Amino acid sequence: MLEVKRLSVSYDVLPAVFDVSFEVRKGEVIALIGPNGAGKTSTLKAILGLVEAPSGQVGFLGKRLEREPPWVRVRAGLALVPEGRRIFPEMTVEENLELGAYATATRRGKPGARLDRAYTLFTRLAERRRQLAGTLSGGEQQMLAIGRALMSEPELLMLDEPSLGLAPRAIEVLYEHLEALHREGLTILLVEQFVYGALELADRGYVLERGRIVREGTRESLLHDDYIQKTYLAL
């Protein structure tokens, strides 16, 4: 579904990502893990066109996207849940969700059925649909950010550090929702520092350090890799 080839990203003269290559197959959950500053967020932003990638290719569903603007990539079926959630706090829950359907509204009609799906998945949001988003708890805001991304009916959902700043119970609930989406067949690219949870959910994973892929493999191979255990799992 997604094929990234030799992707590089720089900020002014400071390189962030070097010749990164990986793929995501339909129906998979792929974990992209690594420490702070490894280039994980830059990789997601480059895939969606939010930062310029001076070299490399982004292929999605058989089409080259690296020269397309972000809105075209969203219409093609990509969606990103950004780090820090980035909801609109002075708007209601429902208004935030409706904004998620904006880029695909003309092609897919009114968002009523998509709202119903979001409320079915996140019943807490249905209870708070008229509430200002800024008054939600951290876990509820993350649900809202995911629901907003799902409103575009993506083929590939990308999440950037979704567990960041959440309480343990909220993380548990979050991953229950991601598992439900996986069972439905949604393809997911998950960037996380919560390594154990990400690998437990994932089919395969890649380890990004200092802007380069240094490890890749199945969930089982990475969970039992001595380097991963010592570096990221404290085992």
Side-chain angles (χ1 to χ4, degrees):
M1 178 175 282
L2 175 72
E3 189 173 22
V4 176
K5 290 184 177 179
R6 305 199 66 174
L7 188 72
S8 295
V9 177
S10 298
Y11 297 98
D12 294 326
V13 296
L14 183 63
V17 177
F18 307 88
D19 288 340
V20 163
S21 298
F22 65 92
E23 65 179 19
V24 180
R25 301 166 194 149
K26 183 175 177 60
E28 284 188 316
V29 175
I30 297 298
L32 184 61
I33 63 174
N36 276 332
K40 305 186 301 298
T41 294
S42 295
T43 298
L44 292 188
K45 287 183 175 181
I47 291 169
L48 198 59
L50 299 176
V51 297
E52 184 178 356
S55 64
Q57 298 177 11
V58 177
F60 183 64
L61 295 174
K63 297 181 180 179
R64 294 275 296 276
L65 294 181
E66 64 267 13
R67 295 189 179 182
E68 300 290 353
W71 65 269
V72 169
R73 303 188 199 203
V74 172
R75 286 193 173 183
L78 292 171
L80 173 66
V81 180
E83 180 181 352
R85 302 181 279 276
R86 301 301 180 96
I87 61 167
F88 296 92
E90 299 303 321
M91 300 175 72
T92 66
V93 166
E94 190 151 302
E95 288 168 339
N96 270 269
L97 290 172
E98 288 173 339
L99 278 175
Y102 178 79
T104 58
T106 56
R107 180 163 58 89
R108 300 180 184 175
K110 294 182 179 180
R114 285 177 271 175
L115 276 172
D116 291 342
R117 179 172 182 261
Y119 289 142
T120 299
L121 181 63
F122 301 111
T123 55
R124 193 76 60 84
L125 297 182
E127 298 167 1
R128 290 160 170 71
R129 65 176 68 194
R130 305 301 178 197
Q131 190 170 323
L132 292 181
T135 65
L136 301 178
S137 69
E140 291 165 347
Q141 289 184 11
Q142 189 63 70
M143 292 179 196
L144 178 57
I146 295 172
R148 181 180 59 188
L150 292 174
M151 289 291 290
S152 67
E153 296 187 322
E155 299 288 340
L156 173 61
L157 179 66
M158 302 186 291
L159 301 104
D160 191 3
E161 304 283 7
S163 68
L164 186 67
L166 299 185
R169 176 54 186 159
I171 294 174
E172 183 179 339
V173 171
L174 166 68
Y175 271 80
E176 289 171 357
H177 287 304
L178 295 181
E179 176 62 34
L181 290 170
H182 186 204
R183 288 196 303 268
E184 289 180 8
L186 183 64
T187 309
I188 298 173
L189 176 56
L190 176 62
V191 160
E192 265 287 21
Q193 289 190 61
F194 177 38
V195 172
Y196 184 78
L199 291 179
E200 277 285 297
L201 178 67
D203 299 290
R204 296 186 298 113
Y206 296 85
V207 182
L208 190 65
E209 294 181 356
R210 298 180 181 179
R212 302 182 188 276
I213 300 288
V214 298
R215 286 277 200 293
E216 62 180 273
T218 64
R219 168 181 57 224
E220 292 80 8
S221 66
L222 291 176
L223 282 170
H224 293 93
D225 184 287
D226 288 342
Y227 177 75
I228 301 298
Q229 290 185 352
K230 293 176 182 176
T231 306
Y232 295 103
L233 303 178
L235 297 177

